[in-house]
Each structure stands twice: as structure tokens, then as C-alpha cells.
Amino acid sequence: MATSLANKERKKYEKIWRYSQYRAFSAGRGLVPLFKSMCPKRGTVLDIGCGTGRASLELKENGYTPSMLDHASNCRDFEAEIFPFYRKCVWAPWKIKNKFDYGYCCDMMEHIPSERVHDTLREIMANCHRAFFSISFNADALGPTLLGEPLHLTVMNFEDWILTLSAHGDLVEARDMLGQGIFLLNKARFINGDSA
């Protein structure tokens, strides 16, 4: 069941990344200044659900050392192919040797099937000391328009995301920004007292 769901989602995203309308906007790229203000100490960053990789390029410009993870093989822009890339299902064990100072996860958690949200967060916090999230609270328009099915599979409000994220670490910041939330989650102290 888990494998068939992963394959179904991978095929869906490999299809949607072929559309220029979907590739046009990079939510993560525009949030790098906010990430930088919240996580000023430079370090390694895993761009989780990296998509085009434009956020990774911006992170590099700002002194971070990015790597990228996505389950679609065709998502990255050519310019972003300079960074290490892991093609992984986000809710299955990643089995990545390196651990990262930061996880950078923008416009991704709402795309996860609801039954796999906790598995995804476990993997993120097992591989990153601190994670920055930008999560939409709204249904999407492009999935139904281009594919005939939604891309946002977990649509929750601000308070529900606080509860969900808090189950996986120490939530040190949460901002409700009218339709999306910004969250900063540290690896729980009882797992690892060090944070980036």
C-alpha cells in the first residue's frame, strides 16, 4: 500500500512538473530572507520538496550549503543541478548518510497525503537539527485545473499544524500569515540537545 501510494504521487508530480504554469512560481525562493532572519547561522540545508531548486540557488547566494530532496526526477531547473540531489519519497526512510543543520520545507507539507504527514515529519527531524516550514492552509487551484485532481492533500488550519508539528520537536516559532503558516521546529531536546 505504502509503495503504491508513493509511486502514484511520484507519477503525479512528474506529470505536473511538465507544465510551465506549475514551474512558474517558486514559493521557497521568496522566503529565503525570512529563513535567514530566523536561522542566521550559516550551515548545511536540505531543501525538502525542492521542486525547481530556485530556493537552493538563493540559499547558496546567502552563504548556506544546500542539498536537495524531491521524489520527482524532472522537477529541477538546469541551473540547480549543481547541488547534491536525493530522489526520495519524503515519508519513507531516507537512508541518507549526511545529517543537516537545517531542513528547508516550503510549499510541501500540504502536498503530503494526510496519513503520511507524521511519517514525513519523523524523517525530516531525524535528518535535520532544525526545520523551517512554510505551509499553505488552502486548497490548490492548479492540480484540479491541470490534472483533474488536487495537489494539496492535507489542508489544515494554523492551530492544527501547531499541534502536528509539536509532536515531532520543539516548536520555537509559529506565525499565521493569512493563508499560510511559517514554523520553525528544533529537534526535540530529549533526542538531541544540540540545535543549529
Side-chain angles (χ1 to χ4, degrees):
M1 169 64 182
T3 302
S4 61
L5 179 60
N7 287 336
K8 176 181 176 285
E9 289 299 298
R10 178 182 52 78
K11 288 176 184 175
K12 178 168 74 175
Y13 282 92
E14 287 179 348
K15 185 174 181 181
I16 196 82
W17 280 116
R18 295 181 192 132
Y19 288 91
S20 60
Q21 302 98 305
Y22 194 70
R23 301 188 74 86
F25 178 69
S26 170
R29 182 180 192 179
L31 288 167
V32 169
L34 180 57
F35 169 77
K36 186 178 172 183
S37 72
M38 293 168 73
C39 303
K41 183 181 175 186
R42 304 307 189 267
T44 57
V45 182
L46 183 61
D47 187 354
I48 304 160
C50 65
T52 60
R54 292 174 207 151
S56 287
L57 290 164
E58 193 73 18
L59 287 162
K60 171 103 169 99
E61 286 292 313
N62 281 274
Y64 299 90
T65 305
S67 297
M68 301 187 301
L69 184 146
D70 206 293
H71 63 169
S73 57
N74 62 333
C75 59
R76 293 171 293 159
D77 289 349
F78 173 76
E79 295 82 3
E81 291 182 5
I82 60 172
F83 303 119
F85 176 72
Y86 304 96
R87 190 174 74 79
K88 304 278 184 185
C89 171
V90 291
W91 60 80
W94 296 354
K95 298 179 183 174
I96 296 175
K97 184 177 178 182
N98 297 330
K99 300 300 178 205
F100 300 88
D101 297 318
Y102 303 107
Y104 189 76
C105 187
C106 297
D107 190 27
M108 199 272 299
M109 289 304 302
E110 62 270 31
H111 292 255
I112 303 302
S114 296
E115 66 271 26
R116 295 296 176 203
V117 165
H118 287 287
D119 296 330
T120 301
L121 289 168
R122 265 193 295 276
E123 283 306 304
I124 291 171
M125 298 317 295
N127 289 280
C128 304
H129 293 291
R130 176 176 281 185
F132 173 91
F133 297 90
S134 167
I135 305 173
S136 173
F137 307 143
N138 302 310
D140 66 287
L142 281 180
T145 301
L146 298 175
L147 298 182
E149 60 179 313
L151 298 174
H152 291 189
L153 303 179
T154 300
V155 178
M156 297 194 297
N157 64 32
F158 181 65
E159 292 77 17
D160 287 340
W161 276 113
I162 286 177
L163 291 172
T164 300
L165 291 162
S166 296
H168 295 276
D170 296 326
L171 189 62
V172 295
E173 186 138 5
R175 300 181 189 182
D176 188 342
M177 299 179 71
L178 300 176
Q180 79 174 32
I182 301 294
F183 307 93
L184 189 63
L185 189 66
N186 280 353
K187 188 182 289 283
R189 279 188 221 91
F190 63 83
I191 296 171
N192 179 352
D194 299 326
S195 62

